[in-house]
Amino acid sequence: MSLKSIVRELKEMRDGIGSMSKRGVESRRWNGRTKSYVAPDITLTSLEPIQQGQWANLPPELLLDIISRVEESETTWPARAVVVHCGSVCKSWRDVTKEIAKTPEQCGRITFPISLKQPGPRDSPIQCFIRRNRETSTYLLYIGLVPSENETDKLLLAAKKVRRATGTDFIVSLVADDFSRSSNTYVGKLKSNFLGTKFTVYDSQPPQGAAIQQDSGSSRRFHSKQSSPKVSAFNYVVGTIAYELNVLRARGPRRMHCTMNSIPISAIQEGGTAPTPTSFPQIIDRPFSPSPALKGKGSSTDLNNVNLPKLAVPGQGSSEPMVLKNKAPRWHEQLQCWCLNFKGRVTVASVKNFQLVAAVDPSHNVSAAEQEKVILQFGKIGKDIFTMDYRYPLSAFQAFAICLSSFDTKPACE
């Protein structure tokens, strides 16, 4: 049997499993009581007989060879969706697929949703672009050099801008039509102060290997009758972004510093590694007992008044967080503007354009080549179209959050 026929049968099997699961859940929903409940276990139970089919019992050597060939042949999206289909057949296929499909740092490719939380490649950046929709205040991150003509680009992340009295929030999701923080597609958020000069990056899961101060008061669901089974109950502060004030209106681009609390400075030292999560957090769905001060205020509360958990302050013997800064531009006399070498990835002059490099100290023992390496660059290429290229040690989510901060209005910084 050829590789193409195997892939075709995998797609058909996956579609069949999905339709059978849907019918099973619907029948139980109509036959059961009208009270709302969580039903993932019913779906998984209906899949168990399918896992004993012909594909689940393939010899391990043959299964490894099939998935290896698929992974090597499909390197770009949308064709790479076949690799994800392989991981959807059954548990044995999923385990082998996760073993073969490497992280973006290792292979330079994005495969599974968890890849968006993992560091990018060290040698060359992953090239993406952001499409802004002014009417809906949404920002969509796609993988690729530029938008395709047939609009088949792979969506990585989506964000929605929400203006509040005290600042602006950018809610980040895996899909473009659900920005609820109680959804299993919720990834994190970016929150600004009133002036739009300081931003805080929140992650839906704790950074790997970092000490976290948890507070039961930071739950995103407060005594709710309905709950999603795949939602992390906390937000975690993983970074801060600060723009320098330009009170004197001095000529020059915006200047910013990004403190990545979840990434130690040792990650860019020789032999260093960055935190790399391997899966999304486990289900956290414990009941919440409101404090006396919250009683009588309904079943939910405003997150702006809640102290969200933060990374513990590094103590002695722990590594300092990595800090990113603007790469200094040069003044072009003929063009009469500030210029940076974006290597053709940015074509329109804009105050939003920037390149970030590591801000290091001589005591950090970071090589000169590593100090000059552009970790993240962002710039405009057309109306409401921007490029975003990121590399190790940033993840796609962290890079996207930093770029989102550039979209907020900053009259005090320009």
Side-chain angles (χ1 to χ4, degrees), residues 215-233:
D215 182 5
S216 60
S218 63
S219 175
R220 288 191 280 109
R221 296 187 309 275
F222 295 88
H223 201 61
S224 176
K225 293 183 179 180
Q226 295 180 352
S227 61
S228 172
K230 297 181 181 180
V231 177
S232 173

Side-chain angles (χ1 to χ4, degrees), residues 295-315:
K295 289 183 178 180
K297 294 185 178 181
S299 61
S300 62
T301 187
D302 186 4
L303 281 174
N304 293 329
N305 299 324
V306 175
N307 293 323
L308 296 176
K310 298 182 180 181
L311 292 175
V313 178

Side-chain angles (χ1 to χ4, degrees), residues 1 27 53 85 97 101 110 136 147 156-157 170 225 236 251 335 352 357 362 367 377-379 385-386 388:
M1 183 181 295
S27 62
H85 295 162
T97 304
I110 292 177
T136 60
L156 300 181
L157 292 169
F170 290 87
K225 293 183 179 180
Y236 301 87
R251 186 174 60 175
L335 298 178
K352 296 179 176 63
V357 296
S367 65
Q377 75 173 19
F378 171 80
I385 302 294
F386 303 81
M388 185 195 89

